[in-house]
Amino acid sequence: MIKEGVQPLDSLRLVANYAAQAPCYICAADNTYDAELCRQCFAPMALAHQAASQKIRPRLLATIGASGAGKTVYLGMLMDMLSRQPDRLQMLARGAFSITLQQSTASALSRGEFPSKTPSEPDRWNWVHCQIRATSLKSPLDLVMPDLAGEALLEEVDHPYTYDVIHPLLSKCAGVLILIDAVKLQSGSLDQDYFTMKLLSYLAEIDERPRHGWARRPIGFVLTKADECEECFIDPAAFAEARAPGFWRQCRERFRNYRFFASGVAGGCAYRQSRAGLVRVPLRVEPRGIVEPFEWLVQQVKH
Amino acid sequence: MNHTGQKTMAANDRRHWAYWVAGAAGMVLASAWWMNWWGIVASGCGLLTWLALGCRGRPAVPPSTVAEPVDLSDDEPREPDAGDVESLVDGMLRQDRYALLLRRQVVGNLSPEQFAQARDVLEEQMALVPEGQVTLSRSASERMDRDDAAEEQRFVQPLFLDRYPVTNAQYQRFVKAGGYQQMPLWDPQIWPAVLDFVDASGNPGPRFWKHGKFAKGEANHPVVGVSWYEAAAYARWVGKRLPSEAEWVKAGSWPVPLSEEQQWQRKFPWGDTMDRQRCNLWGSGPGHAVAVTEFAAGVSVGGVYQLIGNVWEWTSGTFGVVTADGDELSLPVPMKSIRGGAFDTYFENQATCQFESGENPLARKHNIGFRCALGMCDVAPHPGAPDEPALAEAEGVLA
């Protein structure tokens, strides 16, 4: 015999939450409300929750470049500098996860080491969600910036849609900083030139709209490790034109809003023997040209 | 290349050779320095010959940071008159070359008043660092404040150390006196490179100067954009030398012996806690090098200013840090030791008395300057009484 009755559901709210799917802020894939990372692209779901709860749509900015160009060091150092000395720009992290990148970068540099290579797996990338305040901004600007792995970018550029996160991210980005290893350019290596050409070509084809496509979105080219080739600081654009004519020409013909910068973090470098061979280590940390590219990009995307 | 171009190049080559020969000839005569004052006359002749030849050095690519120069020609002391001892002494004092006057071999030529004057300038411009033991860290572990850092004990003889880093105004006296043309001041192995030590306009001088002059308003700023060799040459010109690493650390950390084996050393010249109001580092405010008299609160116990911050300082030591595992770092080029941190040094653990970094001795960077040292043994106690060893040494020199 079956006795009829009403069984109270203790977890009604849980069920309701599970029924309502939360879209990922990057790829818009549906996720359960308690998912930490998007099941499709592995972007942190905290971005979506923060956007929903605070009723703001953060702008996306990306820092891209070849493996070893210095993306992690640049982004981590930038975050640390802006949070420690709020002169021109002030950065406030939104969420504890946004501080991990600057913590790991500053910690490694103060030990006399560069931070470890960013792994290729997107679920291990660091993301930064922050609020930028500046006298030049009428209202605070919310930004989301991931620390992408160079190998993943290379794989995605060569084989589009290999990584579910990169294409939607770069499609939605308001602007990018493309990092180029100035020391390799100076040494005559053309790898940086070719890879940057690939990146530019990839960007141009992601969104070809004449008014809102990448042709008009801001692109900052940052020549990194310029402390080891000081002529970079004198005229970064001339340096790039002389040593990377391929991407220089492509840039001039396909893009309208771009600028060249030079930056350096280490005042000098040496090499330490490790199991993996010689590892480059900074002899001292003297950031130079770190804030300027980001400041320019923020000015370009603020509207 | 056309015929005119070839002729111009040949003329330039002749000029360069003439300049080298004139400078070298002047300096050969200057070797008689210890005997009499003909060295001054000879140096002046070499300089005048060089100027008459119109040799202005090689042009260089101007750095973007070069500011408009300031002309201090009316304020600067003229080359001392060798015929008049009083004028010569006055001139050398104005050029900050009092250390030469106080040499045991020279001091006998001074009147008691002149000696007192030179001694007063010495005490005003240099601080006494007493003799004693100092602990040097030779390990990169020190950067991490770990306890397993490899340490080395050194004994430091008493010395005088410049209270302030060498300023643009002081360095300009060296440039104006033809320091870049006086080859005995330079290490012989670097002679081929001296022609390359030019400013933004191609004249001999620090990298960021223009037309042999520093930027307006920076007379009292530390001179930067000078290589280790330029720093060493200046030090020789004023009768001093670059401090060793141990001397530099001792002046800053001011060790206090607690027992025969142990001593207490300060992490910073003012104590053990970083205070960015006492030194010019990243985050201290200015964001650029400031006058050497600023940040007076960071003065050391002995009265030395800006040992930490503002600009790194070349020392005479060779850089060779070992890792925590005891392995030496592999350097892309042999480096000289720099100490103290600069206005753009980011981490406070890289701006301690113990922290050491390295730089290519030919590098002419925007944040590396120097100060000079003088061994107490190189300073005569008073004019009338040079001691026996010094007399014997002087006789050897004269012979």
Side-chain angles (χ1 to χ4, degrees):
Chain A
M1 183 177 121
I2 297 171
K3 192 175 180 180
E4 290 186 2
V6 178
Q7 185 71 28
L9 275 173
D10 294 335
S11 53
L12 185 60
R13 193 165 59 88
L14 190 66
V15 171
N17 279 334
Y18 266 104
Q21 297 284 302
C24 170
Y25 191 73
I26 304 299
C27 69
D30 284 340
N31 288 271
T32 54
Y33 87 101
D34 60 351
E36 188 182 348
L37 300 176
C38 170
R39 62 182 172 77
Q40 186 167 319
C41 74
F42 300 106
M45 286 303 294
L47 299 174
H49 298 316
Q50 285 169 350
S53 64
Q54 292 157 8
K55 295 185 172 50
I56 45 167
R57 302 286 298 171
R59 301 287 183 97
L60 291 172
L61 295 181
T63 308
I64 57 180
S67 176
K71 297 178 292 297
T72 303
V73 172
Y74 176 82
L75 206 50
M77 203 68 206
L78 174 72
M79 296 296 115
D80 202 50
M81 289 172 75
L82 293 183
S83 57
R84 283 175 61 182
Q85 194 186 44
D87 274 355
R88 291 176 293 187
L89 292 175
Q90 185 182 357
M91 193 209 81
L92 297 170
R94 285 193 179 273
F97 70 94
S98 296
I99 300 174
T100 307
L101 177 64
Q102 76 182 74
Q103 181 190 7
S104 57
T105 304
S107 173
L109 288 172
S110 70
R111 285 198 310 269
E113 298 168 1
F114 285 113
S116 334
K117 215 175 184 62
T118 304
S120 295
E121 298 81 17
D123 57 334
R124 296 173 64 192
W125 293 351
N126 285 311
W127 290 68
V128 176
H129 181 195
C130 61
Q131 188 180 68
I132 299 294
R133 294 178 181 177
T135 49
S136 58
L137 297 174
K138 285 180 183 171
S139 57
L141 187 65
D142 270 59
L143 294 176
V144 169
M145 293 176 287
D147 177 29
L148 308 176
E151 280 92 352
L153 277 165
L154 181 61
E155 188 71 14
E156 172 69 18
V157 166
D158 282 341
H159 309 285
Y161 300 102
T162 306
Y163 287 85
D164 289 325
V165 67
I166 294 177
H167 193 278
L169 172 74
L170 293 180
S171 302
K172 291 181 180 177
C173 268
V176 292
L177 291 176
I178 299 182
L179 271 56
I180 303 155
D181 187 332
V183 176
K184 286 189 178 168
L185 281 187
Q186 192 181 38
S187 71
S189 166
L190 290 176
D191 287 347
Q192 296 286 309
D193 190 21
Y194 291 136
F195 184 70
T196 312
M197 284 167 66
K198 283 181 177 179
L199 272 180
L200 290 177
S201 179
Y202 182 80
L203 282 180
E205 286 159 17
I206 279 181
D207 191 342
E208 295 179 300
R209 290 176 296 167
R211 283 178 63 86
H212 301 289
W214 271 106
R216 285 184 180 272
R217 290 191 216 175
I219 301 175
F221 294 96
V222 185
L223 297 163
T224 57
K225 306 174 191 176
D227 47 277
E228 291 185 50
C229 47
E230 290 237 337
E231 59 174 299
C232 232
F233 282 114
I234 298 168
D235 189 347
F239 184 89
E241 183 181 8
R243 288 171 176 79
F247 94 73
W248 170 264
R249 171 170 288 190
Q250 192 173 21
C251 187
R252 288 194 64 178
E253 290 178 1
R254 299 180 80 163
F255 299 95
R256 304 279 295 276
N257 188 9
Y258 61 89
R259 188 175 286 189
F260 286 84
F261 300 91
S263 77
V265 168
C269 286
Y271 295 89
R272 178 170 52 82
Q273 189 68 45
S274 76
R275 288 178 189 171
L278 283 178
V279 178
R280 196 164 159 267
V281 294
L283 293 177
R284 54 189 181 276
V285 176
E286 299 168 351
R288 200 173 165 193
I290 300 291
V291 177
E292 289 82 355
F294 181 72
E295 193 174 19
W296 174 80
L297 199 58
V298 165
Q299 291 301 322
Q300 301 300 309
V301 304
K302 67 181 179 184
H303 302 297
Chain B
M1 187 184 297
N2 60 30
H3 184 64
T4 310
Q6 285 175 341
K7 279 175 72 177
T8 308
M9 182 175 275
N12 281 339
D13 284 345
R14 280 198 298 275
R15 277 183 176 183
H16 281 122
W17 276 109
Y19 138 62
W20 278 100
V21 170
M27 282 302 98
V28 168
L29 291 172
S31 62
W33 172 267
W34 307 118
M35 291 180 65
N36 51 39
W37 301 107
W38 280 105
I40 292 292
V41 180
S43 305
C45 290
L47 173 64
L48 288 172
T49 312
W50 177 77
L51 288 173
L53 285 166
C55 183
R56 309 292 291 177
R58 291 206 293 121
V61 179
S64 60
T65 51
V66 173
E68 284 305 305
V70 60
D71 189 357
L72 290 182
S73 54
D74 294 337
D75 305 330
E76 289 301 297
R78 307 288 179 207
E79 192 69 9
D81 178 5
D84 177 3
V85 173
E86 192 172 338
S87 142
L88 185 67
V89 171
D90 287 346
M92 292 188 73
L93 287 174
R94 283 199 301 273
Q95 287 181 325
D96 291 329
R97 301 171 78 188
Y98 48 85
L100 287 170
L101 297 174
L102 292 171
R103 293 271 179 180
R104 294 170 193 275
Q105 300 91 335
V106 178
V107 76
N109 296 309
L110 303 183
S111 68
E113 293 76 24
Q114 287 170 330
F115 173 79
Q117 200 179 355
R119 187 78 196 192
D120 286 347
V121 178
L122 169 80
E123 287 171 8
E124 184 188 324
Q125 296 201 9
M126 303 190 87
L128 177 65
V129 181
E131 67 177 6
Q133 292 283 345
V134 63
T135 305
L136 287 188
S137 169
R138 305 300 304 172
S139 166
S141 300
E142 199 276 332
R143 299 172 192 180
M144 296 169 255
D145 292 331
R146 280 165 47 166
D147 294 330
D148 61 346
E151 290 183 344
E152 188 180 327
Q153 291 288 325
R154 297 261 188 95
F155 186 82
V156 171
Q157 297 290 344
L159 74 145
F160 292 99
L161 186 68
D162 280 351
R163 291 188 191 274
Y164 305 102
V166 173
T167 64
N168 280 316
Q170 288 175 314
Y171 199 83
Q172 189 165 51
R173 291 172 199 139
F174 168 67
V175 176
K176 281 195 166 185
Y180 281 76
Q181 288 78 47
Q182 299 181 24
M183 300 322 290
L185 295 174
W186 302 79
D187 292 341
Q189 73 268 23
I190 206 64
W191 284 358
V194 175
L195 279 178
D196 210 24
F197 293 150
V198 291
D199 66 14
S201 58
N203 291 289
R207 181 178 160 209
F208 302 108
W209 289 16
K210 208 170 181 181
H211 305 302
K213 294 161 193 165
F214 52 85
K216 193 176 181 182
E218 294 187 357
N220 217 19
H221 284 219
V223 62
V224 292
V226 288
S227 65
W228 184 89
Y229 294 103
E230 288 167 281
Y234 173 87
R236 284 192 195 110
W237 183 71
V238 294
K240 302 178 188 174
R241 59 178 170 78
L242 292 179
S244 70
E245 296 167 78
E247 289 169 344
W248 194 98
V249 174
K250 188 160 194 312
S253 60
W254 206 259
V256 178
L258 300 175
S259 66
E260 282 191 8
E261 294 174 351
Q262 282 190 316
Q263 60 199 9
W264 177 73
Q265 290 189 190
R266 293 153 192 272
K267 198 171 175 184
F268 306 100
W270 54 85
D272 278 343
T273 309
M274 169 49 81
D275 180 355
R276 289 189 187 237
Q277 302 304 311
R278 292 175 184 262
C279 55
N280 186 16
L281 300 178
W282 189 94
S284 296
H288 52 78
V290 297
V292 296
T293 48
E294 292 191 31
F295 290 92
V299 68
S300 74
V301 177
V304 184
Y305 291 75
Q306 292 186 359
L307 278 167
I308 298 296
N310 211 22
V311 291
W312 290 96
E313 294 175 16
W314 290 113
T315 70
S316 62
T318 300
F319 177 67
V321 165
V322 295
T323 65
D325 303 326
D327 299 326
E328 277 205 24
L329 287 178
S330 171
L331 304 175
V333 290
M335 291 184 176
K336 286 292 182 184
S337 168
I338 55 173
R339 288 188 176 266
F343 62 88
D344 52 0
T345 297
Y346 194 72
F347 295 111
E348 57 190 55
N349 67 348
Q350 297 183 354
T352 66
C353 292
Q354 281 290 350
F355 185 82
E356 177 192 22
S357 191
E359 191 51 74
N360 181 345
L362 288 170
R364 311 174 84 213
K365 293 208 165 176
H366 65 290
N367 60 355
I368 304 180
F370 66 101
R371 75 176 78 220
C372 301
L374 179 65
M376 188 176 258
C377 59
D378 292 326
V379 179
H382 60 84
D387 56 13
E388 290 303 318
L391 273 178
E393 187 187 341
E395 283 167 6
V397 170
L398 295 177

